[in-house]
Amino acid sequence: MPAVPAHAAAPAPAPAAAAFDQVTLKKVTKVYGRHRALAGVTVTLDAGSVTGLLGPNGAGKSTLVGILSTLMRPTAGEVRYGAFPHAEAARGLRGAIGLVAHDSFLYGDLNGVENLRLWARLYGVVEPEARAAALLDRVGLTAAAGRIVRTYSRGMQQRLAVARALLHGPRLLLLDEPFTGLDTNATATLKALIAEERAAGAIILLVTHDLEIAGELCDHLAIVRGGIIAHDERRPGGLGYQALKDLYHGVVDG
């Protein structure tokens, strides 16, 4: 079995008492040397809601995802997962977090089903074989389950990464450009999965440059500009593409 990389290690199952209905950030900053990636982010993510995190390249979106995933520490400010502070979440709540990032965290020399079985064991998933098979079917990879992952196309790897993020039924689902490389059918499947996770009560953060997808899926909008949340709005009925496009450009270009 391959060694688990440090940045992906210790995704211990979250304790039953570790349920949380909100994730809150207050005045969160992140500094790399002289560069301030985040400059005081305050936002609340709620259960049963999809928050669209939008903004230009370099605005701090991926840094924010890294902090929420507990793979990064904030330089200052407060992050809480319900009653649990960030430091405690990093030790014990990774099993409640699902992440689709720019790094897929997949093992290229294992096949698709072996990847999911490995992660299922790390997360302590009940009936890992059945869970892996069900998710491979859900993302349309059953026929490719026995293929070595490094032979997968970019879109196939992205679908497998989505399956890996959903394996353990995460409470917090972080999706950083999850539609990258997906064709029309795979995009429709992922939209349906996101809707299902929202209906099941997950806390979902979706980073995307696709305003049409954001307008369709998101009921909460957070626009990042210059390392801060420049606009924070909730619309339970959805935002709609044209309204979102006008709002986005007004905030980012204004």
Side-chain angles (χ1 to χ4, degrees), residues 87-197:
E88 188 171 338
R91 290 193 300 270
L93 292 188
R94 282 191 183 173
I97 300 171
L99 172 65
V100 175
H102 295 293
D103 184 337
S104 69
F105 300 143
L106 300 173
Y107 292 97
D109 291 329
L110 298 181
N111 65 34
V113 71
E114 287 170 341
N115 265 274
L116 293 193
R117 287 171 181 167
L118 170 61
W119 284 99
R121 287 197 296 271
L122 291 171
Y123 279 110
V125 172
V126 177
E127 298 184 351
E129 300 281 343
R131 180 64 174 162
L135 279 167
L136 285 167
D137 179 66
R138 191 69 181 87
V139 299
L141 288 176
T142 298
R147 281 178 49 188
I148 299 300
V149 165
R150 56 182 163 78
T151 70
Y152 280 16
S153 68
R154 177 69 178 90
M156 292 171 71
Q157 290 190 18
Q158 190 74 342
R159 283 185 277 160
L160 187 61
V162 169
R164 182 204 60 78
L166 293 174
L167 262 178
H168 53 299
R171 186 64 175 150
L172 173 61
L173 184 57
L174 305 171
L175 305 172
D176 194 352
E177 297 290 351
F179 293 94
T180 300
L182 299 187
D183 61 20
T184 301
N185 288 338
T187 294
T189 296
L190 180 52
K191 287 180 180 179
L193 283 168
I194 291 172
E196 290 167 10
E197 291 297 310

